[in-house]
């Protein structure tokens, strides 16, 4: 049986847990990122100032979260998902879908008609995004290391 998943607004007391989930999940393939606790705290602090964060709980334990914001584009405001992270052992239980649905519901209430995200092309989540009707666009991300 699938456990009851509750979606709640982020509170300051949730910070330590979501930082731990963030560091743990982004250290794995395909990301292989080496986040320090200090840098992860800086990132979450930035997000708490400019974004909305929702957390997913099972049995009162935080098992995932989503971070999103609203941007202005030429045709109006759009939602942008910066992060969606679910602890590995809780993946494939509908948590990501519930987080996405809650985000979409919030944006619809704000009369926002489009939502975007960026994903690693090797991520398992690509199939998930397709399944919930997100489409790949022509946009490409470029990067350059500068010294």
């Amino acid at each position: 049986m699938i456990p009851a998943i509750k979606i709640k607004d982020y509170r300051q007391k949730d910070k330590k847990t979501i930082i731990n989930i963030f560091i743990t999940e982004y250290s794995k393939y395909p990301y292989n990122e080496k986040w320090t606790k200090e840098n992860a705290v800086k990132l979450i602090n930035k997000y708490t100032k400019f974004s909305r964060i929702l957390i997913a709980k099972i049995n009162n334990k935080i098992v995932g979260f989503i971070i999103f914001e609203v941007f202005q584009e030429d045709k109006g405001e759009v939602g942008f998902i910066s992060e969606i992270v679910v602890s590995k052992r809780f993946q494939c239980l509908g948590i990501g879908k519930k987080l996405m649905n809650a985000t979409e519901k919030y944006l619809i209430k704000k009369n926002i008609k489009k939502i975007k995200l960026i994903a690693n092309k090797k991520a398992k989540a690509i199939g998930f995004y397709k399944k919930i009707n997100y489409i790949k666009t022509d946009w490409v991300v470029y990067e350059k290391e500068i010294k």
Side-chain angles (χ1 to χ4, degrees):
M1 180 164 72
I2 297 174
I5 303 161
K6 293 184 180 175
I7 306 300
K8 303 279 186 184
D9 284 315
Y10 166 87
R11 297 205 169 143
Q12 185 67 23
K13 67 179 182 157
D14 304 324
K15 183 191 283 188
K16 183 178 178 183
T17 305
I18 71 167
I19 286 170
N20 288 336
I21 293 170
F22 181 87
I23 290 171
T24 300
E25 296 308 319
Y26 274 101
S27 71
K28 298 174 184 171
Y29 178 83
Y31 313 105
N32 302 317
E33 295 179 3
K34 306 206 180 332
W35 282 89
T36 64
K37 186 170 183 174
E38 178 185 1
N39 284 340
V41 167
K42 286 179 186 177
L43 180 67
I44 298 303
N45 286 343
K46 180 196 85 120
Y47 282 142
T48 59
K49 290 179 186 164
F50 303 108
S51 305
R52 184 170 174 98
I53 304 173
L54 300 175
I55 59 168
K57 288 185 165 187
I58 292 179
N59 296 328
N60 215 27
K61 175 183 175 164
I62 298 172
V63 297
F65 62 92
I66 191 166
I67 301 173
F68 63 96
E69 46 278 318
V70 175
F71 288 110
Q72 184 66 44
E73 288 191 345
D74 62 327
K75 294 180 181 153
E77 291 183 316
V78 298
F80 184 82
I81 297 172
S82 297
E83 311 287 346
I84 179 168
V85 185
V86 176
S87 293
K88 176 89 171 146
R89 67 180 273 237
F90 293 97
Q91 292 175 6
C92 300
L93 296 176
I95 296 164
K97 187 171 183 179
K98 280 211 170 198
L99 286 165
M100 295 293 269
N101 287 344
T103 299
E104 291 175 15
K105 185 177 176 182
Y106 173 85
L107 294 170
I108 288 166
K109 283 184 182 178
K110 298 285 185 186
N111 203 30
I112 293 169
K113 310 260 189 258
K114 187 181 280 187
I115 189 166
K116 297 180 178 187
L117 58 84
I118 296 172
N120 184 304
K121 67 181 180 181
K122 296 177 185 173
K124 273 185 13 182
I126 297 294
F128 166 67
Y129 299 137
K130 288 178 182 177
K131 186 176 175 183
I132 59 172
N133 299 317
Y134 281 70
I135 57 169
K136 185 177 177 182
T137 69
D138 292 331
W139 285 92
V140 178
V141 175
Y142 287 88
E143 73 177 13
K144 176 184 177 181
E145 290 200 31
I146 55 176
K147 298 178 185 182

